[in-house]
Amino acid sequence: MTEIDIELENKAIAKEYKELLRISYQTLSEDDKKLIRKAFDVAVDAHKDQRRKSGEAYIFHPIAVAKIVASEIGLGATSIASALLHDVVEDTDITVEDIKRMFNPKIAQIVEGLTKIAQVKTDQEISMQAENFRKMLLTLNDDVRVILIKLADRLHNMQTMDSMAEYKQAKIASETLYIYAPLAHRLGLYNIKNQLEDLGLKYTEPSVYNDIVGKMKETKEEQDAYIKSISDVLKSSMDSEGIEYTIKGRPKSVYSIRRKMMAQGVTFDEVYDKFALRIIYKSNTHDEKFLAWKIYSIVTDHYRPSPSRLRDWISSPKSTGYEALHITVMGPKGRWVEIQVRSERMDEVAEKGYAAHYKYKQGSNNEEHGLETWLNLLKEALENSSGDAVDFVEDFKLNLYSKEIYVFTPKGEIKSLPKGATSLDFAFSIHSEIGIRTRGTRVNGKLVPLNHVLNSGDQVEVITSQNQKPNSHWLDYVTTARAKNKIKNVLNENTKKIAEDGKELLTRKLRHLKITLNEPTVNELVSYFKLKTSLDLFYRIGIGTIDNQQLKDYAALKSNTFMNFFKAKIKKSPSLPQEQIQKEEISKNYDLLVFGKNEDKLDYKLANCCNPIPGDDVFGFVTINEGIKVHKRDCPNAIRLQSNYAYRIMPAKWIDSSQEEFKATLKITGMDSLGLTNELTKVISNNMHVNIQSISLSGNAGIFNGQVTVVVKNNSLLKKLIEAIKKIDGIDKVTRIYNN
């Protein structure tokens, strides 16, 4: 480069720096400006020999990221300085320790968080991408600003991808649509979300993107005239009411038009609401709501509204902090038009997310304020981020994108939940301890099942009991990730507790059979009962699936000469190493396949094309000559079968028969005596792993009649219970009745 070029470049860098200070959304003090200047100088020096693929000096990138952080996200000096320095540790000789020494621990921590994200190796595979995403979200535990600066970094990279190889563009764009756009949406950064989505589409489907952009330019004049015709009508009424306002026509994003075309199967010309009208009014805090509804009445005086499409996010703001009234009205030429009504404050919150929200809330420019609350919103999603990364991301995305409903507590406090949430989800949303102890729920005063789906406006009351424990069915009753994780944790703890009791029980039972419970015995028993781990074995003993007779059979075999052959077989077969036996998790021993909603046990054959094994995700396909054939969900033929013969597909799933629960009804008769009812319920509830589902007892002229429906794991437990009831003084007969 010539000296003139270098001089011009330096002038351009200085101009960008001044622009950065000018557009900052927060009010910068002298100390703030000094901090930003120092970060700028360090970054310029560190990157002085680096250039981007486009040929321009690398420093333009950190400055651009800092500008997005300052103006579009609205953060203050700490974040602006961190954005300027975000690549120095990764790309130059400067270390995190150097930054801590030159600046402060907070900036060093943010830069280190950004470096951690950058160092995660990316790969085309979704599981790797999911793992990256999880690692990235876990940096939130350090500081939420790491994610915000990363979003700004991603946005600038997307804006300057033209000089990259095509395959790289497609990869980065897919990742943006899959991860970063939903994240911006969740943080209330709608401007950034729209830009990320549009740029994502530009590189994943360039021809579609260019086609829509071209058509939008063609129709721009006509749209401007249409918007003007509505604005002119509304202006006169609003002026006469003395409202201060501005009206803007806002075209829908390219990505949202594309999504509408796909969802409704229509062409560009058939998408009606390609733009929205935005009325932004001046107001003090006191009159904000009143003025919004005044404008609503002016709009609806002139244009007929669609009542089903009125969205009132002023009375109940979205969990992202978004507030506005959305009115869809029938405009001229028979077209539906969306009109958004927002105060200047609401508009700022909508554009800049929480940074603006908390600026107004705290009446302060300090970015530290309110960020704690913001951080907590996302920490919730990370609470139980163990397990499969892909599941975690899918859960997270589900909770990001789901529409919200608003329900009330008995005291009238409002809670927001994802659409489709149940009354049990509500219990867990209040507190996990309340969720775990939930015995029943009332919605609008009526007792409802735990899987009752809530609607906006419902008032929900949770009834708890100290003795209540979650069971495996609860996982089918909830939709939120938080509730599912809590239930799984409790179920695992229960399983371990039952296994511990089972181990003690097994030790005693084997002692009677003159066998010592040691490692070789455990290995033999695990193989003998075709199980996977010692925990499986102890759990089954604990719940009574393996009874005394089966243990006697094992003991007989052990003393038999045949046992020597059996031992040799165990040695030859890859025996389970000790660490696997001690494994702290119960493996699900899938051994039963059930079909349909009612989980019926039907005859079936396993398909040869994909050879499903117990535990695989599967479905049943009703063939013409060979009954039900079971295929894996990802079988090469699955899509063809499901699209061509949907009516012949049956839902199917493997279940662990030892962890299945069964219902049984017992008829009990005897002589009515004082305390008999009390004794009976005590015996049933003291019997381990038996739950009472319904009970009806009556006494008549000294005769006692009762009917009890219990839920048990298996038949041997039921027999044990019947024997225990028979021993109660005054009980005459206990019989099982079958409801045909």
Side-chain angles (χ1 to χ4, degrees), residues 206-268:
S207 56
V208 173
Y209 174 83
N210 292 326
D211 189 41
I212 294 174
V213 169
K215 285 184 170 149
M216 282 171 83
K217 279 181 185 155
E218 282 168 30
T219 55
K220 191 176 183 316
E221 249 176 68
E222 188 220 330
Q223 279 190 12
D224 288 350
Y226 189 81
I227 288 166
K228 189 177 181 304
S229 68
I230 297 174
S231 304
D232 290 347
V233 170
L234 296 178
K235 270 178 182 169
S236 55
S237 299
M238 283 169 67
D239 290 346
S240 64
E241 288 288 349
I243 298 167
E244 283 186 71
Y245 64 92
T246 51
I247 297 183
K248 294 181 195 167
R250 187 188 65 85
K252 280 261 167 81
S253 73
V254 182
Y255 187 82
S256 62
I257 290 175
R258 164 71 171 156
R259 198 165 47 207
K260 262 215 162 84
M261 286 163 66
M262 295 285 285
Q264 296 169 3
V266 293
T267 63
F268 177 85

Side-chain angles (χ1 to χ4, degrees), residues 74-108:
L75 295 176
T78 304
S79 301
I80 294 169
S82 303
L84 287 167
L85 298 164
H86 81 270
D87 274 336
V88 295
V89 172
E90 193 193 349
D91 294 346
T92 74
D93 298 332
I94 294 175
T95 65
V96 172
E97 283 306 311
D98 295 334
I99 290 180
K100 194 184 277 186
R101 203 179 54 252
M102 287 190 274
F103 296 93
N104 59 50
K106 184 46 84 183
I107 290 177

Side-chain angles (χ1 to χ4, degrees), residues 506-534:
L506 182 61
T507 311
R508 287 203 303 274
K509 285 183 174 185
L510 290 178
R511 203 178 293 138
H512 283 302
L513 298 167
K514 310 275 188 292
I515 297 170
T516 310
L517 184 71
N518 53 21
E519 191 190 329
T521 309
V522 169
N523 272 345
E524 283 172 12
L525 282 162
V526 167
S527 294
Y528 177 76
F529 289 113
K530 297 185 179 62
L531 302 173
K532 289 182 184 173
T533 67
S534 60

Side-chain angles (χ1 to χ4, degrees), residues 281 288-290 292-293 296 306-319 322-328 338-341 346 404-406 408 414 456:
Y281 60 93
E288 249 185 349
K289 207 185 225 184
F290 169 72
W293 288 105
Y296 169 81
S306 163
S308 64
R309 287 167 74 183
L310 169 68
R311 300 286 176 265
D312 172 13
W313 282 308
I314 290 179
S315 307
S316 306
K318 285 187 178 183
S319 58
Y322 180 81
E323 294 170 80
L325 268 188
H326 287 199
I327 319 157
T328 302
E338 184 180 79
I339 297 178
Q340 300 171 353
V341 179
M346 293 173 196
E404 289 173 310
I405 57 163
Y406 298 93
F408 295 93
I414 198 161
S456 271

Side-chain angles (χ1 to χ4, degrees), residues 51-65:
R51 302 218 153 250
R52 295 190 87 199
K53 280 222 168 58
S54 58
E56 73 170 10
Y58 193 88
I59 189 64
F60 283 108
H61 169 65
I63 297 173
V65 173

